[in-house]
Amino acid sequence: MRVATRQGTVIALGVTMTLIALASHASAQAPVSMTLAQRALATFQPLPADFAAPETPITAARLALGRQLFFDPRISLDGTVSCARCHQPALYGTDGLAFSRGVENRLNPRNAPTVLNAALQFVEHWRGDRVSVEDQATRALLGAASFGLPNDDTAVVRLEALGYAAEFAAAFPGDSAPVSARNWGAAIGAYERTLATPAPFDAYLRGNTRALSERARAGLATFLDVGCSGCHSGAGVGGGRYARFGLVKPYWSETGSAVIDSGRYSVTKDSADLFVFKVPSLRNVAKTPPYFHDGSVATLAMAVRIMGRVQLGRELTDTDIGNIVAFLESLTGKLPDDFARSPTLPGESR
Amino acid sequence: MRVATRQGTVIALGVTMTLIALASHASAQAPVSMTLAQRALATFQPLPADFAAPETPITAARLALGRQLFFDPRISLDGTVSCARCHQPALYGTDGLAFSRGVENRLNPRNAPTVLNAALQFVEHWRGDRVSVEDQATRALLGAASFGLPNDDTAVVRLEALGYAAEFAAAFPGDSAPVSARNWGAAIGAYERTLATPAPFDAYLRGNTRALSERARAGLATFLDVGCSGCHSGAGVGGGRYARFGLVKPYWSETGSAVIDSGRYSVTKDSADLFVFKVPSLRNVAKTPPYFHDGSVATLAMAVRIMGRVQLGRELTDTDIGNIVAFLESLTGKLPDDFARSPTLPGESR
């Protein structure tokens, strides 16, 4: 299998089990004197305040426009799909469905990941076939099972009819054709780059060891010890690399998935990518069931149990699972106010 | 035709034109010394703070529960429909569609009215076949084209699985079976009874004549003079009675409606109810296109022009229409914070 890090380095591993060995090895090497907090800091980082990047600036004009566009279904082919349809604030940026529904009720092939902290990930979507939140948004607008617009021109016509032209011009100064599908995605991306949800775990990483309950701290230790953190690491507690789902045994033997998804193989046609997915960020995971790329598992405890079996070849005890779930609950952050609160959209009266 | 007032009195009018004559007559009778504000107060009332009723108390427990349920799609047959799907905060409690879409993309027969101030109306829905917001909600839960649940038992099972049992028990103390479709509707009704949007026009009615622009005041005068206020009166500026749509000429001759809707006739089978609809409240009308029961008209100016033609037999001038639209814009209120802001829903972590 191949593992791409956030920086794009590709590591070739002859034996998939090597990953587990590496994780166990790192754990065994930790000096006895190292505190849990120190071990955590060697693996995770606190969430940044936002996910701005030089090429994707968060300007006030883009942010205000992107927030409106995120909540506006009227641009979609049948008028029923906004970003917020599959990424609802009340459900922590998800829709609660195994597979999302787009225009004309079209079924999406995979579970909708949350938009919260999504911009932190090294790529987007389960298969990593979207390079950024901007790319994801723009391609959703033109995607048959999401917004369903046939082409860029339709997007321009609809956005102008909805009264957005002046806002696009202000958000993309110097652009000779500011109203475009690409800039629709760029504005939404700017907004999504503000959707950070700092959580108790961040307070812990910043030195407040009381921010986690005793049970959550025990879960964190287990999470590090058994090797979950081999993949779920960094500021996102995941979202920084690819991994095969089912290192030890086929994932569907435990999830009971109705359809076997070949994962990134369906993008690259490289057999090394069979059943490989982007490792999801675990931030807000307790708030975003159902689980996995196909929403095949309803509860977090069962998802953790299955991960132990198919990734680590280990039958986690009920105590381990309870503790890990308590740790994962410490990744639940506060909804950003500009996400929990809907904007009002342009209409006849502005 | 028959006209039912909020109190349920039925007035039989032999000739439909009588209504127009009455309106003109009332206008002509107004003493010259009566100010515009006095005339307005004789026809309209400021919006109350909420729409509580003795039989539908707004308790804190019902309100909190109802607000969560309003935003939770997971109870619907296919998991895609919450109240907020057709009544989106970003679109002032509507969905921007001509006809709403329910579970499995099923088409609803009429345009979704806003939930804002809806509880103020004497009946709900375009045909008045829902007696209250509570009734509307409960019947939506079991309606094939809305939430699609086949029966009450399914509602109970789903609500308990979603983790709502304790909240229902707290919201409906003394009820031996608190989790029910009926109480789902009662909780949502309690929430909707708080969705009041006081607007500049209310400030005007309370004595601040500067709260309306000169143009809006001119529009108000025209609205009273030409007879719009014959039907659109009271605290809701409508929502208090039934009226035939197309008193002077068939409405579809002006709206271009693809389908002719027989209105309340389809409920009562009384030929006097042909093309009779509940007069909609005009609060927030500038924010809730498209217009009429079938969303057949896109702009407020055109809707006003058509109302002049089909209800009043009058070709309003562009100036009249512009002024009336300015008045109607003064009915746009502030979104209630508990509506603009999504709650977070019960999940695995509460």
Side-chain angles (χ1 to χ4, degrees):
Chain A
M1 75 171 291
R2 301 185 316 174
V3 177
T5 69
R6 177 149 195 174
Q7 289 71 37
T9 316
V10 173
I11 307 164
L13 299 175
V15 182
T16 56
M17 293 299 287
T18 313
L19 253 186
I20 302 158
L22 279 173
S24 306
H25 184 67
S27 174
Q29 287 285 308
V32 176
S33 62
M34 205 171 175
T35 65
L36 180 62
Q38 286 169 326
R39 290 178 65 200
L41 273 172
T43 303
F44 309 106
Q45 295 88 48
L47 199 65
D50 63 49
F51 313 116
E55 68 281 14
T56 53
I58 306 172
T59 65
R62 285 193 194 185
L63 182 54
L65 173 59
R67 182 165 167 251
Q68 287 188 308
L69 297 175
F70 187 92
F71 286 91
D72 199 334
R74 297 171 299 175
I75 190 178
S76 66
L77 186 68
D78 66 1
T80 70
V81 177
S82 66
C83 304
R85 172 165 171 172
C86 298
H87 303 289
Q88 299 181 29
L91 290 164
Y92 264 72
T94 68
D95 56 14
L97 296 169
F99 299 101
S100 297
R101 293 283 180 171
V103 289
E104 294 172 351
N105 218 34
R106 293 179 198 155
L107 195 65
N108 278 260
R110 290 172 197 86
N111 180 265
T114 180
V115 286
L116 298 169
N117 314 298
L120 184 61
Q121 301 181 114
F122 82 118
V123 291
E124 303 300 328
H125 273 201
W126 285 99
R127 298 181 302 165
D129 55 340
R130 301 292 184 265
V131 302
S132 64
V133 287
E134 288 79 8
D135 179 44
Q136 190 277 326
T138 299
R139 290 167 71 179
L141 187 63
L142 303 172
S146 37
F147 286 76
L149 293 196
N151 52 50
D152 282 42
D153 288 349
T154 310
V156 174
V157 168
R158 291 194 174 210
L159 288 167
E160 288 179 348
L162 289 169
Y164 281 112
E167 285 184 81
F168 271 85
F172 300 94
D175 193 325
S176 61
V179 182
S180 66
R182 181 188 166 86
N183 284 346
W184 183 88
I188 289 170
Y191 171 58
E192 291 189 351
R193 286 177 187 278
T194 69
L195 300 180
T197 63
F201 185 53
D202 296 292
Y204 177 85
L205 290 174
R206 292 184 193 284
N208 177 8
T209 55
R210 300 272 176 168
L212 297 201
S213 68
E214 193 179 324
R215 199 171 177 203
R217 292 198 301 270
L220 167 59
T222 306
F223 192 88
L224 291 163
D225 287 344
V226 302
C228 306
S229 58
C231 289
H232 292 284
S233 59
V237 193
R241 51 179 284 180
Y242 293 114
R244 179 173 297 172
F245 186 23
L247 284 172
V248 180
K249 61 188 292 196
Y251 75 80
W252 54 90
S253 67
E254 292 292 335
T255 60
S257 299
V259 171
I260 296 173
D261 188 329
S262 63
R264 192 159 165 73
Y265 171 80
S266 59
V267 177
T268 65
K269 308 299 179 194
D270 179 342
S271 61
D273 285 333
L274 258 178
F275 317 125
V276 168
F277 295 87
K278 179 200 66 189
V279 174
S281 166
L282 295 182
R283 287 189 176 271
N284 302 304
V285 70
K287 286 293 197 181
T288 57
Y291 296 107
F292 301 133
H293 64 277
D294 56 5
S296 51
V297 172
T299 71
L300 188 52
M302 182 54 75
V304 170
R305 185 182 302 279
I306 290 172
M307 289 302 278
R309 289 175 180 164
V310 306
Q311 300 301 96
L312 306 171
R314 179 192 281 259
E315 187 65 29
L316 294 167
T317 67
D318 287 352
T319 303
D320 284 343
I321 291 170
N323 291 346
I324 290 173
V325 166
F327 163 60
L328 294 175
E329 287 172 344
S330 83
L331 299 174
T332 299
K334 187 180 171 301
L335 284 190
D337 188 67
D338 273 357
F339 184 58
R341 185 189 297 272
S342 297
T344 58
L345 302 182
E348 298 192 274
S349 306
R350 299 298 295 278
Chain B
M1 72 173 292
R2 300 185 318 176
V3 177
T5 69
R6 176 148 196 174
Q7 288 70 37
T9 316
V10 173
I11 306 164
L13 299 177
V15 182
T16 56
M17 294 298 288
T18 313
L19 252 184
I20 302 158
L22 279 172
S24 306
H25 185 67
S27 173
Q29 286 288 307
V32 176
S33 62
M34 205 172 176
T35 65
L36 181 62
Q38 287 169 325
R39 291 179 64 200
L41 272 172
T43 303
F44 309 105
Q45 295 89 48
L47 199 65
D50 63 48
F51 313 115
E55 67 280 15
T56 53
I58 305 172
T59 66
R62 285 192 193 186
L63 183 53
L65 173 60
R67 181 164 167 254
Q68 288 189 307
L69 297 174
F70 187 92
F71 286 91
D72 199 334
R74 298 171 300 175
I75 190 177
S76 66
L77 186 68
D78 66 0
T80 71
V81 177
S82 66
C83 304
R85 172 167 171 169
C86 299
H87 303 290
Q88 300 182 29
L91 289 165
Y92 264 72
T94 67
D95 57 14
L97 296 169
F99 300 101
S100 296
R101 293 283 179 171
V103 289
E104 295 173 348
N105 217 35
R106 292 180 200 154
L107 195 64
N108 279 260
R110 288 172 200 86
N111 180 266
T114 182
V115 286
L116 298 170
N117 313 298
L120 183 63
Q121 300 181 113
F122 83 119
V123 291
E124 303 299 326
H125 272 200
W126 284 99
R127 298 181 302 165
D129 55 341
R130 301 291 184 268
V131 303
S132 65
V133 287
E134 288 79 8
D135 180 44
Q136 189 277 325
T138 300
R139 290 168 71 179
L141 187 62
L142 304 172
S146 37
F147 286 75
L149 294 195
N151 52 50
D152 283 43
D153 289 349
T154 310
V156 174
V157 168
R158 291 193 173 212
L159 288 167
E160 289 179 347
L162 289 169
Y164 281 111
E167 284 184 81
F168 271 87
F172 299 96
D175 194 325
S176 60
V179 182
S180 66
R182 182 188 165 86
N183 284 346
W184 182 87
I188 289 170
Y191 171 58
E192 290 189 351
R193 287 178 186 279
T194 68
L195 300 180
T197 63
F201 185 53
D202 296 292
Y204 177 85
L205 290 174
R206 292 184 194 284
N208 177 9
T209 54
R210 298 272 174 167
L212 296 200
S213 68
E214 193 179 325
R215 200 171 178 203
R217 292 198 301 270
L220 167 59
T222 306
F223 192 89
L224 291 163
D225 287 342
V226 303
C228 307
S229 57
C231 289
H232 293 284
S233 58
V237 192
R241 51 179 284 182
Y242 293 114
R244 178 173 299 173
F245 185 23
L247 283 173
V248 180
K249 60 189 291 195
Y251 74 80
W252 54 89
S253 68
E254 292 293 335
T255 60
S257 299
V259 171
I260 296 172
D261 188 329
S262 63
R264 193 160 165 71
Y265 171 80
S266 58
V267 177
T268 64
K269 309 297 180 196
D270 179 341
S271 62
D273 285 333
L274 256 178
F275 317 124
V276 168
F277 295 87
K278 178 200 69 189
V279 174
S281 166
L282 295 182
R283 287 189 176 270
N284 302 302
V285 70
K287 286 292 197 182
T288 57
Y291 297 106
F292 302 132
H293 64 277
D294 56 5
S296 52
V297 171
T299 71
L300 187 51
M302 182 55 75
V304 171
R305 186 182 301 279
I306 289 171
M307 289 303 278
R309 289 176 181 165
V310 306
Q311 300 301 98
L312 305 172
R314 179 192 280 261
E315 187 65 29
L316 294 167
T317 67
D318 288 350
T319 303
D320 284 342
I321 291 170
N323 291 346
I324 290 173
V325 167
F327 163 61
L328 294 175
E329 287 172 345
S330 83
L331 299 173
T332 299
K334 188 181 170 298
L335 285 190
D337 188 67
D338 273 356
F339 184 58
R341 187 190 295 272
S342 298
T344 58
L345 302 181
E348 297 192 274
S349 306
R350 298 299 296 276

